[in-house]
Amino acid sequence: MNEESSSLRDLKRRIAAIERRGATVDAVRVATGHGDIDAALGGGIARGRVHEIFALEAGDAGSATGFAGMLAIRMGAGRAGGGIVWLREESAVRAGGHLHAPGLVDIGLNPARLLLGLLPDALAVLRAAADVVRCAGVGVAIVELHRDPRALDLTASRRLALAAEESGVAALVLRIAATPVASAADTRWAVRSCASQPLAANAPGHATLDLELLRQRGRGADGRWQVEWNRDQAVFASPAASSGAVVAVPADRPAGTVVPLRRTG
């Protein structure tokens, strides 16, 4: 038996052990702040699990990227020393899909907490992700992949889920212009762009998203909600319920636009 076959057998045994423990091991859940979403999730988004975030259309890439950043901020709150590691393909950058630093700051992401890794291709991203997610000192890992790379199969997804459960690190797999397929993810989301509602005196509104929970592991509940992100409180809320300080929006873009991902060139 070669080394590769032995490693695969070991991986399958460890995955089977996790699946046997699944009914008794409760994940630590972080409330999103949105009552209906938290109820659907059984209390909030789970740490130590994989969560898929889809921009089904390329035009929704900025909003999906923003949602990943918002979740990372929310899940990292109160976790001492837990930074955010964001892994991307070099080809995404060459195609003009740059992370927009002012946009990340607008949603409340502190650049000092962000470590950005650029890898040659999807396979390299997934290999790095498995190592990053095993590191318990990481708060949240964002694994960004474009379209439908062959490297992201069910085995790769299970490997990532195994690493997340063992370390307690949340892994957010950001899929841009991709098609949902079978995976070991705990939840799967579709994110669409949505217009925001202005605040009092026609002040710029909070960033607004259309979120759809496509599936979640072990639970039948799903749903679709329009939510606002309150960066000052780092919570999601229904548009009518959101309140707080006004979020400044640059003059060169409309109120409520989410643009953590910007095309250039």
Side-chain angles (χ1 to χ4, degrees):
M1 180 182 299
N2 60 37
E3 183 178 348
E4 182 177 355
S5 298
S6 178
S7 298
L8 183 58
R9 287 171 62 104
D10 180 61
L11 175 63
K12 289 180 178 179
R13 283 196 298 268
R14 295 165 70 190
I15 291 171
I18 281 181
E19 290 174 343
R20 288 194 297 270
R21 297 198 308 268
T24 59
V25 176
D26 293 328
V28 175
R29 295 188 177 273
V30 179
T32 67
H34 190 286
D36 290 342
I37 292 178
D38 290 334
L41 295 174
I45 195 83
R47 285 201 179 110
R49 299 293 187 270
V50 174
H51 304 280
E52 293 178 328
I53 300 169
F54 278 83
L56 300 176
E57 302 292 338
D60 293 320
S63 293
T65 303
F67 181 57
M70 295 165 188
L71 274 186
I73 293 167
R74 182 64 189 161
M75 298 180 77
R79 181 164 181 157
I84 300 169
V85 178
W86 199 312
L87 303 175
R88 310 187 74 216
E89 299 173 72
E90 291 177 350
S91 59
V93 177
R94 290 196 300 269
H98 293 268
L99 286 177
H100 186 47
L104 293 173
V105 172
D106 277 350
I107 65 172
L109 198 156
N110 181 357
R113 295 186 58 215
L114 176 63
L115 178 62
L116 179 63
L118 295 178
L119 289 304
D121 51 36
L123 180 58
V125 168
L126 288 167
R127 286 175 173 170
D131 290 335
V132 167
V133 175
R134 288 190 188 99
C135 179
V138 172
V140 179
I142 300 177
V143 184
E144 181 182 336
L145 296 166
H146 289 239
R147 300 180 184 83
D148 300 308
R150 292 180 61 185
L152 184 58
D153 56 14
L154 187 55
T155 298
S157 176
R158 285 174 171 168
R159 185 179 292 113
L160 200 59
L162 173 64
E165 181 163 335
E166 289 183 342
S167 66
V169 173
L172 307 180
V173 181
L174 176 59
R175 306 290 311 281
I176 305 297
T179 305
V181 295
S183 75
D186 193 64
T187 64
R188 176 181 295 156
W189 302 82
V191 184
R192 300 173 180 88
S193 303
C194 192
S196 68
Q197 297 183 9
L199 300 178
N202 205 34
H206 297 286
T208 305
L209 302 170
D210 182 316
L211 302 180
E212 184 176 4
L213 179 60
L214 299 175
R215 66 174 296 273
Q216 58 177 319
R217 189 176 182 185
R219 296 173 63 89
D222 55 12
R224 186 170 179 175
W225 306 270
Q226 184 180 114
V227 304
E228 288 182 347
W229 172 248
N230 187 317
R231 61 160 285 177
D232 298 291
Q233 299 178 30
V235 296
F236 295 95
S238 298
S242 183
S243 63
V246 173
V247 180
V249 178
D252 63 348
R253 61 186 176 88
T257 302
V258 182
V259 291
L261 186 66
R262 184 179 66 177
R263 291 198 170 275
T264 60

